[in-house]
Amino acid sequence: MELGREVLDQQVIDARGIHMGKVDGVILSLGDGPARVSALVIGGTTLLWRIHAGLARWVERRRGGQGHVDRIPWDQVMKIGVDIKVNFEAERSPALHWERWVRDRIIGRIPGA
Amino acid sequence: MSAPQEIRLERLLGKLVLDAAGWPVGRIEEVLAQPEGDAYLLTHVVIGPDSRLAQWLAAAHQLPTLRALGLSRRPSIRKVPWTWLDLTDPDKPRLHRAVLGDQGGAAH
Amino acid sequence: MSKLLEIALGLVTGIGGFLEAGSLATAAQAGAAFGFQLIWAIALGTIAIAVLVEMGGRLAAVSQHTLPDAMRERFGIRFFLVPLVAVVVVSFLVLASEVGGVCLALQFTTGISFRWWAVPVAVALWLFLWKGTFGMVEKGASMLGLVTLSFVVGALKLHPPLADVGAGLVPSLPAHDTAQYWFMGVSILGASVSPYLFYFYSAGAVEDGWDESYLGINRVVAGLGMTFGGTIAVAVVACATLVLHSLGIQVDRYEQLPLLLSVPLGLWGFRLFAASLAIACFGAALEIALQLAYLVAQGFGWRWGENVRPREAARFALVYTVALPLAGLLIVTGVDVLKLTIFSMALTALSLPVTVVPLLVLMNDPDYLGDRTNGWLSNGAVLAVCVLACVVALVTIPLKIMGS
Amino acid sequence: MRAASLLIGSALLTGCGPSASAKVEKATIALRSWKSTLWLAEQEEGRGAIPAKFAEQVRRAAEEEQDKARAERRKAAAE
């Protein structure tokens, strides 16, 4: 499997079919045994790192951390196809932090939402 | 100094790789993995051209029209085993051996 | 739903959705200044957009990916940012042009300045997206958009010399104002080959759940729908040639355009013009605002869909909720809507390589399309039109800016 | 980005813009065009093909554009 092409930047769908985001990063584990894929990363400053590392570093210093990052362990990944299906509940995940924020603070307050 | 416990795929892609003698081999284009049991083990790294122009020509190679017009070039790609990669400093990946002269650098 | 009905609906979408502020303004200006001489640009643009729309539909039907989705996945975030920013900037300017078009139509009929209409129009557009469904936006707007066929009626009533119309299909150099001629040609190309059309179309195909059995419909709808749509633009050129060009009138202001239809059709012509302008621009504004939301949401993997309630796709809804008032604000400032429209069209032409080449690469990738990848003809034709449009835009836009 | 810098570059190169005589000609054509527009609008209003409310808008637009063109012509002639 080509990790860059088939995993990175693919759409992630949770167990209930909810769009969680794209795979912004992939963690490769090097310790303990042979090198392997250990987790998918969604959200936080992960994406910014790929656009501009200096900017990402600056944001992390300002905010004191990577923001709302979601690490999905590789054993939760169920299927890799058009989308990546994960055995995970998106609703509480940090990947949807900003979705919830926009819903609760802005969109949800407009009548008829 | 030993290699870190974990690294980021997205930060590894695009990094310039030097061989054991310090010569640039190319940029990391892809990491290949294979399922084994529940895990996906890393098997190979694909190393592509390191110059901008060669990258553009390789991208243009995906369009048949440009290919027919001769405005592209098949990228020179090497596929090397993952274990050859020395990630002691993940920002400066190196190979454990010298590959210039193409020994072992199988065509993709 | 029977396939025949789908084809009919698709054609209506193509015909009713083709004409908008950009194609109307550029066609009218070109006809007034150069008669039938620039019809070739409409023909060229129409062929290119038909081919591109077909590609967007095929990509969605075969790979189940929308265009932004596939671009992000295939090229990664860094490369995706380039078309993303280009399309967002251009789409926003075009969106403002469409909002301005609706406001001007209201000004013509009520006498109240277009600036006062900007906020109510933006709010009305937003309400449509907030409350409406995808089918309502797509089918409803284009069904009403059939009113733009009145340009064809008007043109026929003016008895255009068909030999001259035919001669316009062959590019020829003008006797005067060569720079202006090419600038208008490129604006026409930009107006016909609007990225929002095929981005929107591919999102629609996924919303409607297309699969490979839709490929035939897709081809018919894209080909015929865009061809009929292009015919309306040619009709606008004919009206402008026979009404304005013959009197030596050049189009500097939107206020001159209602004369295009009032001359052949009388007071009803005036009313039909106002209705066409209002409806066509309103429909286009809905599609562009929606397309902006699709683009951003699909590119970043957010929940999206015009058929779910706004709170279930909050960030998606946020995009159009921000874009529409901003476009309205631009019109409130009293910007020259005609200049804004023409400029946006030239900018669209300039950005074509960035927005179209990634699509072409995807359309040649068997991972996405299996054995349904592009043939050399569609690849070559689209690439040639885009490069031509971009190069001419690159040369003429600075000339135009210095000239005025 | 590259397109933008090229655009700015070529704009700087062409720097000076059209000559004074070309500007005069352009303004003259615009004035003639607006005279014809006014004539046509009057015809249309006379036969009831456009409402008076709209004819008034055309006249206002014509006035603004004619003023602009006359100012352009004066400025170019003075160069």
Side-chain angles (χ1 to χ4, degrees):
Chain A
M1 185 175 56
E2 299 181 306
L3 292 178
R5 184 136 178 204
E6 292 170 55
V7 178
L8 200 59
D9 285 312
Q10 302 296 308
Q11 180 71 48
V12 182
I13 310 256
D14 86 337
R16 291 158 70 196
I18 289 175
H19 284 57
M20 291 178 66
K22 303 275 187 191
V23 178
D24 294 327
V26 176
I27 298 177
L28 308 175
S29 154
L30 302 183
D32 304 333
R36 61 193 179 278
V37 188
S38 78
L40 307 179
V41 189
I42 304 177
T45 47
T46 323
L47 199 57
L48 200 54
W49 267 99
R50 295 167 60 193
I51 298 168
H52 197 283
L55 193 62
R57 234 173 259 130
W58 181 80
V59 170
E60 281 184 9
R61 260 204 312 276
R62 289 285 311 252
R63 305 201 47 191
Q66 296 183 359
H68 301 271
V69 191
D70 195 358
R71 274 181 174 224
I72 304 173
W74 185 255
D75 51 26
Q76 308 266 46
V77 175
M78 300 199 293
K79 195 180 128 235
I80 296 181
V82 169
D83 301 314
I84 293 184
K85 253 197 124 97
V86 295
N87 190 9
F88 210 76
E89 284 282 324
E91 203 36 55
R92 316 195 69 103
S93 117
L96 289 185
H97 170 84
W98 291 111
E99 177 79 25
R100 285 192 295 267
W101 190 88
V102 169
R103 184 185 65 201
D104 297 342
R105 299 287 176 86
I106 306 170
I107 296 297
R109 293 190 177 180
I110 305 174
Chain B
M1 190 161 106
S2 69
Q5 290 289 300
E6 57 181 37
I7 51 161
R8 292 302 194 93
L9 169 75
E10 70 274 16
R11 294 182 208 170
L12 194 60
L13 295 176
K15 285 263 156 68
L16 184 68
V17 182
L18 305 179
D19 74 355
W23 292 100
V25 185
R27 289 180 189 279
I28 298 183
E29 248 172 33
E30 186 57 277
V31 175
L32 305 180
Q34 224 156 59
E36 198 170 303
D38 286 340
Y40 268 72
L41 303 186
L42 309 184
T43 56
H44 292 91
V45 259
V46 176
I47 302 178
D50 74 339
S51 83
R52 251 318 133 77
L53 180 66
Q55 280 171 10
W56 278 102
L57 286 173
H61 202 68
Q62 290 161 335
L63 271 181
T65 314
L66 295 181
R67 205 154 60 211
L69 291 172
L71 287 173
S72 71
R73 197 187 304 150
R74 176 181 289 280
S76 61
I77 283 177
R78 300 158 191 278
K79 200 166 126 187
V80 302
W82 174 264
T83 47
W84 287 20
L85 211 55
D86 173 6
L87 289 167
T88 314
D89 180 355
D91 286 330
K92 296 195 180 82
R94 299 182 73 125
L95 294 183
H96 287 303
R97 40 183 104 186
V99 291
L100 269 188
D102 221 3
Q103 65 270 50
H108 189 48
Chain C
M1 196 173 357
S2 85
K3 302 252 150 164
L4 213 62
L5 186 62
E6 293 240 9
I7 292 184
L9 272 176
L11 286 184
V12 167
T13 313
I15 300 164
F18 193 90
L19 202 72
E20 36 75 55
S23 41
L24 175 64
T26 53
Q29 251 195 351
F34 298 102
F36 296 112
Q37 233 184 334
L38 273 163
I39 286 183
W40 64 267
I42 295 180
L44 199 61
T46 305
I47 293 171
I49 188 64
V51 174
L52 285 167
V53 164
E54 191 276 333
M55 288 183 199
R58 179 152 44 100
L59 177 73
V62 177
S63 76
Q64 303 300 317
H65 279 90
T66 63
L67 192 46
D69 221 6
M71 286 203 309
R72 163 83 194 267
E73 296 185 4
R74 176 69 178 74
F75 303 113
I77 184 67
R78 282 193 72 160
F79 188 89
F80 173 66
L81 279 181
V82 178
L84 177 75
V85 170
V87 176
V88 166
V89 169
V90 169
S91 293
F92 177 75
L93 291 176
V94 180
L95 178 64
S97 310
E98 308 294 345
V99 172
V102 181
C103 297
L104 279 164
L106 289 166
Q107 174 190 319
F108 295 161
T109 44
T110 61
I112 299 168
S113 166
F114 71 97
R115 297 172 62 173
W116 293 102
W117 289 107
V119 173
V121 166
V123 169
L125 284 163
W126 175 81
L127 263 178
F128 257 77
L129 293 182
W130 191 254
K131 283 283 170 198
T133 60
F134 181 77
M136 214 170 111
V137 172
E138 189 198 29
K139 308 272 171 7
S142 42
M143 203 81 84
L144 290 172
L146 289 180
V147 69
T148 54
L149 283 170
S150 36
F151 283 101
V152 178
V153 179
L156 289 178
K157 245 194 130 190
L158 289 164
H159 304 293
L162 288 178
D164 291 0
V165 177
L169 282 171
V170 182
S172 55
L173 277 180
H176 60 100
D177 290 335
T178 317
Q180 177 72 355
Y181 175 84
W182 286 109
F183 179 77
M184 280 187 183
V186 101
S187 311
I188 290 178
L189 280 180
S192 322
V193 194
S194 315
Y196 89 85
L197 276 176
F198 53 91
Y199 277 71
F200 182 77
Y201 189 79
S202 91
V206 171
E207 284 241 29
D208 288 342
W210 283 20
D211 54 30
E212 292 203 26
S213 71
Y214 283 79
L215 287 178
I217 295 185
N218 178 44
R219 202 168 305 145
V220 174
V221 165
L224 284 184
M226 293 298 135
T227 310
F228 284 141
T231 311
I232 303 183
V234 172
V236 175
V237 174
C239 290
T241 304
L242 299 169
V243 173
L244 304 179
H245 183 66
S246 56
L247 290 175
I249 297 176
Q250 60 183 23
V251 176
D252 299 323
R253 295 278 289 248
Y254 251 109
E255 278 86 347
Q256 293 164 295
L257 297 188
L259 300 171
L260 292 181
L261 285 187
S262 80
V263 169
L265 302 174
L267 187 57
W268 270 105
F270 171 79
R271 289 176 185 147
L272 283 170
F273 177 88
S276 297
L277 183 64
I279 292 171
C281 293
F282 198 86
L286 286 179
E287 293 192 0
I288 296 167
L290 202 48
Q291 182 266 132
L292 266 175
Y294 281 135
L295 174 66
V296 178
Q298 288 163 359
F300 290 103
W302 304 340
R303 272 186 272 177
W304 58 275
E306 173 59 7
N307 295 331
V308 298
R309 299 186 53 187
R311 60 175 303 120
E312 280 158 30
R315 282 180 289 187
F316 168 79
L318 182 69
V319 176
Y320 65 74
T321 303
V322 170
L324 281 168
L326 283 181
L329 276 183
L330 188 57
I331 300 303
V332 171
T333 61
V335 56
D336 183 334
V337 179
L338 186 65
K339 281 215 177 84
L340 174 71
T341 307
I342 304 285
F343 180 69
S344 318
M345 296 306 133
L347 216 56
T348 304
L350 186 68
S351 69
L352 277 180
V354 171
T355 51
V356 167
V357 171
L359 171 64
L360 285 181
V361 171
L362 281 170
M363 297 308 292
N364 286 289
D365 189 337
D367 283 359
Y368 283 88
L369 285 140
D371 54 358
R372 309 262 189 202
T373 50
N374 271 356
W376 63 272
L377 186 65
S378 47
N379 273 336
V382 170
L383 201 61
V385 172
C386 292
V387 171
L388 174 82
C390 179
V391 170
V392 177
L394 212 51
V395 177
T396 54
I397 292 178
L399 287 177
K400 185 74 187 171
I401 293 172
M402 300 318 299
S404 58
Chain D
M1 238 173 296
R2 195 169 301 173
S5 54
L6 259 174
L7 208 153
I8 294 164
S10 43
L12 286 175
L13 274 178
T14 45
C16 30
S19 69
S21 66
K23 276 187 195 157
V24 171
E25 199 195 322
K26 208 178 147 204
T28 312
I29 292 174
L31 284 172
R32 213 181 301 142
S33 153
W34 277 104
K35 211 172 142 197
S36 301
T37 305
L38 280 175
W39 175 83
L40 182 60
E42 213 165 284
Q43 295 276 311
E44 292 295 281
E45 193 187 3
R47 71 180 186 113
I50 53 173
K53 228 181 327 192
F54 175 68
E56 188 49 46
Q57 294 176 41
V58 179
R59 277 191 285 274
R60 214 174 322 130
E63 243 165 66
E64 287 167 19
E65 293 296 318
Q66 282 171 324
D67 285 349
K68 235 192 283 175
R70 282 194 203 103
E72 278 287 317
R73 192 165 63 176
R74 263 198 307 277
K75 219 176 82 192
E79 271 176 25

